[in-house]
Amino acid sequence: MIKDIQEEILRLKKERGAVILAHCYQTHDILEVADYVGDSFGLAQNARKTDAQTVIMCGVRFMAETVKILCPEKTVLLPEADAGCPMAEMISPDKLRELRNRYPEHAVVAYINTTAELKTLCDVCVTSSSAAKIIKRMPQDKILFIPDKNLGSYIAAQCPDKEIVTAQGCCPVHAAVTEADVKDAKKAHPNALLLVHPECDRTVVKHADFVGSTTEIMDFAKNSPAEEFIIGTENSIVQHLGIDCPEKRFFPLSKNFICRNMQLTKLSSLLHCLKGNYGEEITMPEETRLLAKKSIDEMLRLGNG
Ligand code: 13P
Ligand code: SF4
């Protein structure tokens, strides 16, 4: 049954001249039909490279918006219109204007998990895998980092030469994991390495053997000689690694580590989106796109190489 749907997806994809981009948190059956799978930075880089006229972004809304910002001539489709990232909505444009007034000398660095509208008010975007490199390369010493206070404080420790002020947002999924979860998981799996996403609270991050983006966590686990790992990010990564590395063992840091928004997209959503009767085409005012593009272009310029 899954194989039949996947074959139909591949046929329709070819017929429509579409490409499928998928974030690592999508289910494995979606990754199997995707043309590119990666973290937020890789998705933005690959969006620019494709010649296809239609891009289907399996992930959440800000990721599809990023594709549209970079590729205005393309039809960009989000298979599940309700798949949003709660963190992207945590700071309103008015709140950011207020913060800019309070910190007039600070450059505004926005995590890519923000709305297109908010990106119009930022100087540069970053992702979890590119933030430290980009901030170190920025000429400004004073940084206002929005909206993720956890990623912001992790990056502040990586960039001791910069004065970094963080906002009060967070990812509700990563922030819900606690130090008690770490203690329980380590007790149950004493030989496992702990791999953690920097959106987690610093009381969790401080116990990690490795901290990185979704792709970086997967690469680390695949290349490490270790055989057991506790995965401190969304549980889809436990599933992917278990399939990709059957000789190793992967355990979730918490059984509740599930992003409902990321898991909204099913293989059937993708199928119906390709059939043209489901999903949402991403649009935005050209003025918003052009202003938001400046911060994403800056991210790709400073984050590459
Ligand atoms: P990555 O850039 O690490 O894939 O993070 C995206 C995200 O939403 C993590 O919660
Ligand atoms: Fe947003 Fe958190 Fe889900 Fe990532 S895991 S998409 S940051 S809610």
Side-chain angles (χ1 to χ4, degrees):
M1 182 66 175
I2 289 178
K3 277 271 164 281
D4 295 341
I5 302 176
Q6 286 177 321
E7 272 169 28
E8 181 68 348
I9 287 172
L10 294 174
R11 191 186 66 72
L12 285 167
K13 185 175 79 154
K14 204 169 165 194
E15 192 177 288
R16 286 193 60 172
V19 291
I20 298 171
L21 305 183
H23 184 263
C24 308
Y25 288 160
Q26 297 292 289
T27 50
H28 210 75
D29 49 9
I30 291 181
L31 302 198
E32 283 173 340
V33 292
D35 296 280
Y36 175 78
V37 177
D39 64 8
S40 308
F41 193 73
L43 289 168
Q45 278 179 318
N46 276 273
R48 284 203 307 189
K49 288 185 191 154
T50 175
D51 292 332
Q53 180 45 42
T54 301
V55 179
I56 304 185
M57 181 64 241
C58 297
V60 289
R61 181 168 293 271
F62 78 82
M63 296 174 175
E65 284 184 350
T66 302
V67 179
K68 188 67 185 175
I69 289 166
L70 290 168
C71 313
E73 71 294 351
K74 296 190 193 303
T75 303
V76 179
L77 301 169
L78 180 66
E80 282 291 343
D82 288 342
C85 168
M87 176 157 53
E89 314 275 344
M90 276 182 188
I91 293 188
S92 67
D94 280 348
K95 177 73 189 167
L96 181 53
R97 283 188 196 97
E98 188 191 311
L99 286 169
R100 283 201 88 124
N101 285 338
R102 204 185 310 161
Y103 300 103
E105 293 175 2
H106 289 59
V108 178
V109 175
Y111 194 19
I112 199 164
N113 300 37
T114 40
T115 61
E117 200 188 349
L118 206 65
K119 288 183 175 81
T120 66
L121 302 170
C122 300
D123 297 300
V124 57
C125 279
V126 295
T127 67
S128 55
S129 58
S130 61
K133 184 198 269 184
I134 290 174
I135 290 175
K136 281 179 189 162
R137 288 178 173 178
M138 286 174 69
Q140 297 92 335
D141 291 331
K142 294 183 178 179
I143 307 289
L144 170 61
F145 189 93
I146 62 150
D148 187 355
K149 66 178 165 59
N150 289 336
L151 179 63
S153 70
Y154 174 71
I155 296 303
Q158 310 289 304
C159 305
D161 297 342
K162 306 274 177 171
E163 182 189 312
I164 300 183
V165 177
T166 58
Q168 281 309 306
C170 66
C171 161
V173 179
H174 285 78
V177 177
T178 63
E179 195 171 17
D181 292 319
V182 173
K183 289 190 177 147
D184 290 348
K186 278 185 173 262
K187 198 171 166 197
H189 310 292
N191 298 323
L193 294 183
L194 174 64
L195 317 185
V196 169
H197 196 282
E199 285 175 15
C200 290
D201 191 85
R202 61 188 164 79
T203 56
V204 171
V205 170
K206 75 175 184 195
H207 294 285
D209 297 293
F210 176 77
V211 182
S213 76
T214 50
T215 299
E216 288 171 335
I217 286 177
M218 289 184 70
D219 288 347
F220 181 92
K222 286 177 186 173
N223 297 325
S224 165
E227 288 172 4
E228 293 189 3
F229 304 87
I230 299 162
I231 302 299
T233 192
E234 218 269 350
N235 285 344
S236 51
I237 303 297
V238 177
Q239 185 203 15
H240 304 324
L241 284 168
I243 293 169
D244 292 347
C245 311
E247 72 289 1
K248 298 184 178 183
R249 298 185 73 204
F250 302 95
F251 310 101
L253 174 52
S254 157
K255 67 175 176 15
N256 300 322
F257 222 145
I258 295 167
C259 175
R260 307 252 167 237
N261 282 281
M262 278 284 181
Q263 300 311 323
L264 270 182
T265 308
K266 310 273 185 249
L267 207 54
S268 56
S269 333
L270 180 52
L271 175 68
H272 293 295
C273 183
L274 272 162
K275 283 185 174 172
N277 54 22
Y278 201 67
E280 183 181 318
E281 178 175 351
I282 302 295
T283 58
M284 69 188 69
E286 184 61 0
E287 195 190 340
T288 304
R289 189 189 73 78
L290 286 173
L291 284 172
K293 186 170 181 291
K294 284 188 186 171
S295 58
I296 296 185
D297 282 345
E298 200 51 4
M299 169 184 93
L300 293 169
R301 186 179 74 81
L302 292 168
N304 273 322

